[in-house]
Amino acid sequence: MAVNRRKSKAGRRILAVGAGLATVGALVAAMPAGAGQSDDGSHGTNGKGWGRMVDVQLLSFNDLHGNLEPPTGSSGRLTRLKADGSTELVPDVGGAEYLATHLERAREGHRYSITAAAGDMIGASPLLSGLFHDEPTIEALNAMKLDVSSVGNHEFDEGARELSRIQNGGCHPTEGCFEEGKRFEGAEFPYLTANVTDEKSGKPLLDPYFVWEKDGVRIGFIGVTLEGTANIVSAEGIKGLKFGDEVETINKYAKVLERKGVKSIVALLHEGGLPASGAYNYDCDAPGAGAGISGPIVDIAKNVTPQVDALVTGHTHQAYACTIPDPSGKPRTVTSAASFGRLYTDTTLTYDRRTKDIVRTAVASANHVVTRDVGAHGKITKLINRWKALAAPIANRPVGHIAESIENPIDVYEKPLGNLIADAQLAGLSPADKGGAQLALMNPGGVRAPLTLGDGVVTYGEAYTVQPFTNMMTVVDLTGAQLVTALQQQVSGANLAAPKILQVSKNFTYTLDTTKAGADRIVVDSVRLNGEPLDPSKSYRVAMNEFLTGGGDGFPVLAAGANKLVGASDLDVFIAYLTANSSPAEPLRAPAVGRITVLR
């Protein structure tokens, strides 16, 4: 059980209880009257927050991915819907220094304010955080006064043991402490893993839920990650763990909280939806509640018990504040704040002291842009500068040159940066002594950020931000039939609802027919290698990272590859390609698209 203690400005302690199954009631009951009272301004119907109806502010965000410094390129922009129906780009958004300031300002005047997150706070992080196993990001989240978070799939990038260290503290088991005389203290907020259990004991890996209390106002949080996490992280790091059904788990712990007298419940869920528009302010409730959103979260929201009053979600990196009907048909708030700290969600939960429940009809929610026109938060700036000084000798080393930004847009199947990475992998692993690769496949989720032009110099830190996982490269034998099956698995099976389109090297082409369904979207006789049709019975040497070789991202056929050769890391291969193929006089340009012909 996690117990998080943080001092208020007046020095009193605010007690946040990590909900151990047998002990939360006793801990909450033991709190003195008024414990946790802050010195903030009052908020509530009687002006002091002591009336029957009390407004509780819930600030939330998701998918920060260790982006402490302001994200660049397409990762640092948003799309806004204008009154006339057109859209415009909102540049220069995000960054932990500015997120912290916006959160601090948003809390002003609110007697009851909670800050929660829906997972992927760490993992797939830029070098500033990733180089130090995300300790800097946890320090920043502590400084932002995050109260609670669910785990995301990326919290498992370095395995369950490392996640436990992130929660509980201690220096890294192999690299030790990064600063002399300083020990990593861990997260001051509880990470919740209600549906991540030990296969043998059935017990959750970390706390399943958390109860926030102030002045007798009690709100429970249940945290779950997506059930399919095992398909998108390294199998070795999660050995012995089971990822349970999100709906079943939330409904189970909602009953547990109800039995303990906690009737106001919020689910923090690392799974999400896909709004019909990419604009952060799109009305996904037009023409009716939840009409403008699709994806996994819709079915989940429609089946999670009405005992849960709101769902804070993530994973899809989309922005929405919708009301999807619960099983009883009653509208319920479901939110997501995009990614990389570019937005935060402000939700008002109206709490009835007599019933101890949220008045659902009074719930209001909206996403707010994290602009950079506010003062940077001094504490976060100091933290960033401290870690940058440690990272500088590695991060600032030049590794290549570019003539233009090479983007990684999320709303297209074929990405210029994905093409570049696949070409780099083919070049690095095509020599006979490196594996003899004839083509390369790259998972789209492994491309984490664009290469932004700037001064035209690509540093090690920028390359790391593009490929932060440090997966080892492999080359395996796959038949032509297996390659076609892999292409079909992009749009069928585990990827039917949310296709994962592999990025392919320049010598591999095919047609994707989006007018058809499932595996039929792949036009089989269009698949070509070096302009020639694939022979279904012939073996081909295929380069890919170890994540794909293990069948990750819903590609089980790739795990059937034979004669595996393990090479250098994906980052080393990428950097070697940048260095060999660019110079100040001849900088690299973005590869042309057109490897995947899309029929609509």
Side-chain angles (χ1 to χ4, degrees):
M1 179 185 66
V3 177
N4 172 23
R5 298 180 184 270
R6 183 182 289 128
K7 289 186 177 181
S8 71
K9 291 179 181 178
R12 292 190 291 270
R13 289 189 179 272
I14 299 173
L15 180 63
V17 182
L21 295 184
T23 57
V24 65
L27 281 168
V28 172
M31 291 177 63
Q37 184 171 331
S38 74
D39 300 317
D40 296 338
S42 61
H43 188 69
T45 56
N46 70 346
K48 295 184 178 180
W50 290 100
R52 173 178 169 180
M53 310 302 286
V54 176
D55 282 349
V56 178
Q57 179 189 59
L58 174 62
L59 302 176
S60 59
F61 56 100
N62 52 276
D63 296 275
L64 181 63
H65 289 290
N67 277 265
L68 298 180
E69 295 182 282
T72 60
S74 57
S75 296
R77 299 194 293 261
L78 290 167
T79 300
R80 177 191 289 133
L81 190 64
K82 298 166 67 177
D84 63 3
S86 63
T87 59
E88 62 181 354
L89 287 178
V90 184
D92 303 324
V93 298
E97 298 161 287
Y98 306 102
L99 174 60
T101 296
H102 279 278
L103 292 175
E104 198 168 79
R105 290 186 177 184
R107 295 181 188 119
E108 292 177 0
H110 293 270
R111 184 183 188 92
Y112 303 93
S113 183
I114 311 166
T115 305
D120 277 7
M121 295 294 98
I122 60 174
S125 305
L127 181 136
L128 180 61
S129 186
L131 186 64
F132 305 106
H133 301 277
D134 282 312
E135 291 181 17
T137 295
I138 298 300
E139 286 189 2
L141 292 170
N142 290 343
M144 289 182 204
K145 300 183 180 178
L146 181 63
D147 289 300
V148 60
S149 179
S150 62
V151 293
N153 53 285
H154 281 286
E155 264 84 9
F156 289 99
D157 281 350
E158 295 189 46
R161 288 186 179 180
E162 175 63 3
L163 175 57
S164 180
R165 185 184 77 89
I166 288 294
Q167 175 71 90
N168 300 311
C171 295
H172 193 268
T174 57
E175 298 186 38
C177 299
F178 295 111
E179 297 176 282
E180 188 175 350
K182 288 188 178 181
R183 177 185 180 276
F184 175 56
E185 297 298 328
E188 294 177 0
F189 55 91
Y191 260 123
L192 304 181
T193 59
N195 68 327
V196 185
T197 57
D198 183 277
E199 287 181 339
K200 294 181 180 179
S201 70
K203 294 181 179 180
L205 176 67
L206 298 173
D207 289 343
Y209 62 87
F210 162 88
V211 175
W212 179 93
E213 179 173 17
K214 182 177 179 180
D215 301 336
V217 175
R218 303 171 73 195
I219 298 178
F221 291 84
I222 302 167
V224 299
T225 192
L226 68 157
E227 183 181 4
T229 293
N231 295 323
I232 54 177
V233 301
S234 174
E236 185 63 28
I238 58 170
K239 188 178 293 184
L241 293 179
K242 178 181 178 182
F243 292 80
D245 181 84
E246 302 99 332
V247 172
E248 291 178 6
T249 303
I250 293 170
N251 291 350
K252 169 186 173 180
Y253 284 108
K255 291 179 181 178
V256 172
L257 286 168
E258 284 268 359
R259 288 197 297 268
K260 295 181 178 296
V262 180
K263 296 182 179 181
S264 297
I265 303 171
V266 175
L268 304 177
L269 171 65
H270 193 70
E271 178 60 289
L274 302 167
S277 168
Y280 78 86
N281 58 337
Y282 165 71
D283 182 6
C284 51
D285 286 335
I293 188 169
S294 60
I297 196 59
V298 176
D299 284 341
I300 291 173
K302 288 181 177 179
N303 287 284
V304 164
T305 173
Q307 292 171 291
V308 173
D309 298 296
L311 282 74
V312 176
T313 74
H315 186 57
T316 57
H317 290 201
Q318 301 296 309
Y320 47 85
C322 305
T323 53
I324 300 174
D326 69 16
S328 69
K330 186 179 179 183
R332 175 169 52 194
T333 295
V334 181
T335 69
S336 175
S339 60
F340 308 149
R342 294 175 293 167
L343 292 173
Y344 71 91
T345 311
D346 192 333
T347 302
T348 299
L349 304 173
T350 300
Y351 182 91
D352 186 331
R353 286 184 179 275
R354 188 169 73 182
T355 65
K356 300 181 181 179
D357 206 351
I358 298 299
V359 180
R360 191 90 67 79
T361 56
V363 172
S365 186
N367 279 318
H368 300 273
V369 179
V370 176
T371 60
R372 301 177 198 165
D373 58 358
V374 298
H377 195 283
K379 192 170 185 178
I380 306 295
T381 301
K382 184 178 179 181
L383 180 153
I384 288 173
N385 289 339
R386 192 180 94 238
W387 287 103
K388 280 179 72 173
L390 290 172
I394 298 173
N396 296 333
R397 176 167 62 88
V399 297
H401 299 80
I402 53 176
E404 58 186 333
S405 293
I406 305 179
E407 296 288 348
N408 181 44
I410 63 174
D411 55 351
V412 299
Y413 291 132
E414 184 182 350
K415 307 170 192 295
L417 188 51
N419 285 350
L420 177 63
I421 291 171
D423 289 347
Q425 293 178 352
L426 177 60
L429 294 140
S430 60
D433 63 338
K434 303 294 184 183
Q438 296 169 271
L439 70 146
L441 305 175
M442 175 63 194
N443 56 305
V447 187
R448 303 306 303 185
L451 280 178
T452 305
L453 180 60
D455 61 3
V457 177
V458 180
T459 65
Y460 181 92
E462 290 167 335
Y464 182 99
T465 299
V466 171
Q467 291 217 272
F469 296 108
T470 318
N471 273 306
M472 301 309 292
M473 289 303 303
T474 63
V475 184
V476 298
D477 287 344
L478 290 171
T479 66
Q482 287 174 318
L483 278 168
V484 170
T485 298
L487 296 179
Q488 293 171 332
Q489 288 175 349
Q490 298 176 115
V491 289
S492 64
N495 296 324
L496 178 63
K500 290 186 174 68
I501 304 302
L502 296 165
Q503 307 299 285
V504 300
S505 52
K506 59 186 176 183
N507 60 340
F508 192 68
T509 59
Y510 68 94
T511 297
L512 177 69
D513 187 349
T514 61
T515 67
K516 296 184 178 179
D520 290 339
R521 291 180 178 180
I522 303 302
V523 180
V524 174
D525 60 7
S526 72
V527 184
R528 297 285 188 275
L529 178 63
N530 297 318
E532 298 294 327
L534 288 181
D535 181 340
S537 61
K538 181 179 177 180
S539 286
Y540 299 90
R541 295 291 282 165
V542 184
M544 65 187 99
N545 60 44
E546 62 182 349
F547 171 68
L548 283 177
T549 309
D553 261 355
F555 292 97
V557 71
L558 297 182
N563 300 319
K564 183 169 73 173
L565 181 146
V566 179
S569 75
D570 53 5
L571 178 60
D572 286 343
V573 168
F574 183 47
I575 287 174
Y577 185 84
L578 291 172
T579 301
N581 291 276
S582 68
S583 67
E586 296 186 34
L588 200 63
R589 304 197 73 87
V593 296
R595 303 171 190 191
I596 305 172
T597 299
V598 181
L599 302 180
R600 302 183 188 277

mmCIF file of all heavy atoms in Angstrom, residues 410-431:
data_model
loop_
_atom_site.group_PDB
_atom_site.id
_atom_site.type_symbol
_atom_site.label_atom_id
_atom_site.label_comp_id
_atom_site.label_asym_id
_atom_site.label_seq_id
_atom_site.Cartn_x
_atom_site.Cartn_y
_atom_site.Cartn_z
ATOM 1 N N ILE A 410 0.848 11.729 -37.281
ATOM 2 C CA ILE A 410 0.091 10.605 -36.726
ATOM 3 C C ILE A 410 -1.118 10.255 -37.581
ATOM 4 O O ILE A 410 -1.713 9.186 -37.399
ATOM 5 C CB ILE A 410 -0.379 10.907 -35.287
ATOM 6 C CG1 ILE A 410 -1.338 12.107 -35.263
ATOM 7 C CG2 ILE A 410 0.803 11.141 -34.370
ATOM 8 C CD1 ILE A 410 -1.962 12.375 -33.917
ATOM 9 N N ASP A 411 -1.505 11.131 -38.509
ATOM 10 C CA ASP A 411 -2.754 10.925 -39.232
ATOM 11 C C ASP A 411 -2.572 10.390 -40.653
ATOM 12 O O ASP A 411 -3.468 10.465 -41.486
ATOM 13 C CB ASP A 411 -3.543 12.236 -39.278
ATOM 14 C CG ASP A 411 -2.742 13.385 -39.872
ATOM 15 O OD1 ASP A 411 -1.526 13.210 -40.091
ATOM 16 O OD2 ASP A 411 -3.331 14.457 -40.104
ATOM 17 N N VAL A 412 -1.396 9.831 -40.945
ATOM 18 C CA VAL A 412 -1.166 9.206 -42.254
ATOM 19 C C VAL A 412 -0.568 7.820 -42.037
ATOM 20 O O VAL A 412 0.058 7.546 -41.015
ATOM 21 C CB VAL A 412 -0.228 10.054 -43.143
ATOM 22 C CG1 VAL A 412 -0.832 11.419 -43.419
ATOM 23 C CG2 VAL A 412 1.147 10.204 -42.512
ATOM 24 N N TYR A 413 -0.776 6.943 -43.010
ATOM 25 C CA TYR A 413 -0.267 5.582 -42.895
ATOM 26 C C TYR A 413 1.248 5.518 -43.119
ATOM 27 O O TYR A 413 1.967 4.811 -42.422
ATOM 28 C CB TYR A 413 -0.970 4.666 -43.898
ATOM 29 C CG TYR A 413 -2.421 4.405 -43.582
ATOM 30 C CD1 TYR A 413 -3.400 4.530 -44.558
ATOM 31 C CD2 TYR A 413 -2.813 4.023 -42.301
ATOM 32 C CE1 TYR A 413 -4.737 4.277 -44.267
ATOM 33 C CE2 TYR A 413 -4.133 3.780 -42.000
ATOM 34 C CZ TYR A 413 -5.099 3.906 -42.988
ATOM 35 O OH TYR A 413 -6.415 3.658 -42.698
ATOM 36 N N GLU A 414 1.720 6.218 -44.126
ATOM 37 C CA GLU A 414 3.140 6.184 -44.462
ATOM 38 C C GLU A 414 3.784 7.487 -44.013
ATOM 39 O O GLU A 414 3.370 8.569 -44.413
ATOM 40 C CB GLU A 414 3.325 5.993 -45.972
ATOM 41 C CG GLU A 414 4.769 5.858 -46.402
ATOM 42 C CD GLU A 414 4.924 5.712 -47.914
ATOM 43 O OE1 GLU A 414 3.891 5.532 -48.607
ATOM 44 O OE2 GLU A 414 6.064 5.797 -48.402
ATOM 45 N N LYS A 415 4.817 7.390 -43.202
ATOM 46 C CA LYS A 415 5.427 8.558 -42.575
ATOM 47 C C LYS A 415 6.846 8.762 -43.142
ATOM 48 O O LYS A 415 7.624 7.805 -43.212
ATOM 49 C CB LYS A 415 5.498 8.363 -41.067
ATOM 50 C CG LYS A 415 4.145 7.983 -40.440
ATOM 51 C CD LYS A 415 4.313 7.566 -38.984
ATOM 52 C CE LYS A 415 3.051 6.907 -38.460
ATOM 53 N NZ LYS A 415 1.906 7.818 -38.406
ATOM 54 N N PRO A 416 7.190 9.986 -43.512
ATOM 55 C CA PRO A 416 8.547 10.215 -44.037
ATOM 56 C C PRO A 416 9.641 9.736 -43.094
ATOM 57 O O PRO A 416 10.630 9.131 -43.536
ATOM 58 C CB PRO A 416 8.585 11.739 -44.215
ATOM 59 C CG PRO A 416 7.157 12.123 -44.455
ATOM 60 C CD PRO A 416 6.358 11.198 -43.587
ATOM 61 N N LEU A 417 9.487 9.968 -41.805
ATOM 62 C CA LEU A 417 10.521 9.540 -40.865
ATOM 63 C C LEU A 417 10.523 8.022 -40.724
ATOM 64 O O LEU A 417 11.582 7.407 -40.552
ATOM 65 C CB LEU A 417 10.311 10.208 -39.509
ATOM 66 C CG LEU A 417 11.427 10.011 -38.476
ATOM 67 C CD1 LEU A 417 12.804 10.356 -39.041
ATOM 68 C CD2 LEU A 417 11.149 10.843 -37.231
ATOM 69 N N GLY A 418 9.357 7.398 -40.804
ATOM 70 C CA GLY A 418 9.302 5.938 -40.784
ATOM 71 C C GLY A 418 10.030 5.345 -41.978
ATOM 72 O O GLY A 418 10.743 4.329 -41.861
ATOM 73 N N ASN A 419 9.875 5.975 -43.141
ATOM 74 C CA ASN A 419 10.593 5.532 -44.332
ATOM 75 C C ASN A 419 12.104 5.629 -44.126
ATOM 76 O O ASN A 419 12.872 4.720 -44.489
ATOM 77 C CB ASN A 419 10.190 6.379 -45.537
ATOM 78 C CG ASN A 419 8.815 6.029 -46.073
ATOM 79 O OD1 ASN A 419 8.216 5.030 -45.672
ATOM 80 N ND2 ASN A 419 8.299 6.851 -46.979
ATOM 81 N N LEU A 420 12.537 6.748 -43.548
ATOM 82 C CA LEU A 420 13.971 6.951 -43.314
ATOM 83 C C LEU A 420 14.521 5.875 -42.379
ATOM 84 O O LEU A 420 15.608 5.314 -42.627
ATOM 85 C CB LEU A 420 14.203 8.341 -42.722
ATOM 86 C CG LEU A 420 15.645 8.683 -42.345
ATOM 87 C CD1 LEU A 420 16.544 8.679 -43.578
ATOM 88 C CD2 LEU A 420 15.709 10.038 -41.641
ATOM 89 N N ILE A 421 13.807 5.568 -41.327
ATOM 90 C CA ILE A 421 14.281 4.564 -40.371
ATOM 91 C C ILE A 421 14.338 3.191 -41.014
ATOM 92 O O ILE A 421 15.304 2.434 -40.823
ATOM 93 C CB ILE A 421 13.390 4.568 -39.117
ATOM 94 C CG1 ILE A 421 13.601 5.868 -38.335
ATOM 95 C CG2 ILE A 421 13.676 3.362 -38.235
ATOM 96 C CD1 ILE A 421 12.622 6.075 -37.209
ATOM 97 N N ALA A 422 13.304 2.840 -41.780
ATOM 98 C CA ALA A 422 13.318 1.539 -42.458
ATOM 99 C C ALA A 422 14.489 1.450 -43.442
ATOM 100 O O ALA A 422 15.155 0.407 -43.540
ATOM 101 C CB ALA A 422 11.992 1.308 -43.178
ATOM 102 N N ASP A 423 14.759 2.540 -44.157
ATOM 103 C CA ASP A 423 15.904 2.550 -45.079
ATOM 104 C C ASP A 423 17.218 2.389 -44.323
ATOM 105 O O ASP A 423 18.137 1.692 -44.775
ATOM 106 C CB ASP A 423 15.931 3.856 -45.872
ATOM 107 C CG ASP A 423 14.813 3.945 -46.896
ATOM 108 O OD1 ASP A 423 14.164 2.910 -47.168
ATOM 109 O OD2 ASP A 423 14.578 5.061 -47.415
ATOM 110 N N ALA A 424 17.311 3.037 -43.158
ATOM 111 C CA ALA A 424 18.524 2.917 -42.348
ATOM 112 C C ALA A 424 18.720 1.482 -41.875
ATOM 113 O O ALA A 424 19.852 0.965 -41.867
ATOM 114 C CB ALA A 424 18.439 3.869 -41.153
ATOM 115 N N GLN A 425 17.639 0.831 -41.504
ATOM 116 C CA GLN A 425 17.750 -0.548 -41.031
ATOM 117 C C GLN A 425 18.133 -1.497 -42.154
ATOM 118 O O GLN A 425 18.926 -2.424 -41.951
ATOM 119 C CB GLN A 425 16.428 -0.957 -40.376
ATOM 120 C CG GLN A 425 16.162 -0.186 -39.086
ATOM 121 C CD GLN A 425 14.839 -0.518 -38.440
ATOM 122 O OE1 GLN A 425 14.009 -1.236 -39.011
ATOM 123 N NE2 GLN A 425 14.615 -0.020 -37.230
ATOM 124 N N LEU A 426 17.590 -1.274 -43.333
ATOM 125 C CA LEU A 426 17.988 -2.105 -44.478
ATOM 126 C C LEU A 426 19.465 -1.903 -44.799
ATOM 127 O O LEU A 426 20.208 -2.871 -44.999
ATOM 128 C CB LEU A 426 17.127 -1.768 -45.696
ATOM 129 C CG LEU A 426 17.491 -2.509 -46.988
ATOM 130 C CD1 LEU A 426 17.375 -4.024 -46.810
ATOM 131 C CD2 LEU A 426 16.618 -2.039 -48.152
ATOM 132 N N ALA A 427 19.898 -0.630 -44.818
ATOM 133 C CA ALA A 427 21.308 -0.348 -45.135
ATOM 134 C C ALA A 427 22.240 -0.963 -44.105
ATOM 135 O O ALA A 427 23.294 -1.514 -44.441
ATOM 136 C CB ALA A 427 21.526 1.158 -45.212
ATOM 137 N N GLY A 428 21.864 -0.898 -42.837
ATOM 138 C CA GLY A 428 22.739 -1.392 -41.784
ATOM 139 C C GLY A 428 22.804 -2.900 -41.689
ATOM 140 O O GLY A 428 23.801 -3.448 -41.213
ATOM 141 N N LEU A 429 21.756 -3.578 -42.146
ATOM 142 C CA LEU A 429 21.700 -5.032 -41.972
ATOM 143 C C LEU A 429 21.709 -5.809 -43.279
ATOM 144 O O LEU A 429 21.580 -7.036 -43.283
ATOM 145 C CB LEU A 429 20.458 -5.391 -41.156
ATOM 146 C CG LEU A 429 20.574 -4.858 -39.729
ATOM 147 C CD1 LEU A 429 19.268 -4.287 -39.217
ATOM 148 C CD2 LEU A 429 21.055 -5.934 -38.789
ATOM 149 N N SER A 430 21.918 -5.130 -44.403
ATOM 150 C CA SER A 430 21.990 -5.835 -45.682
ATOM 151 C C SER A 430 23.332 -6.496 -45.965
ATOM 152 O O SER A 430 23.361 -7.519 -46.673
ATOM 153 C CB SER A 430 21.629 -4.887 -46.833
ATOM 154 O OG SER A 430 22.521 -3.792 -46.886
ATOM 155 N N PRO A 431 24.471 -6.001 -45.431
ATOM 156 C CA PRO A 431 25.728 -6.724 -45.668
ATOM 157 C C PRO A 431 25.623 -8.167 -45.182
ATOM 158 O O PRO A 431 24.968 -8.460 -44.177
ATOM 159 C CB PRO A 431 26.748 -5.928 -44.844
ATOM 160 C CG PRO A 431 26.182 -4.547 -44.778
ATOM 161 C CD PRO A 431 24.700 -4.742 -44.675
#
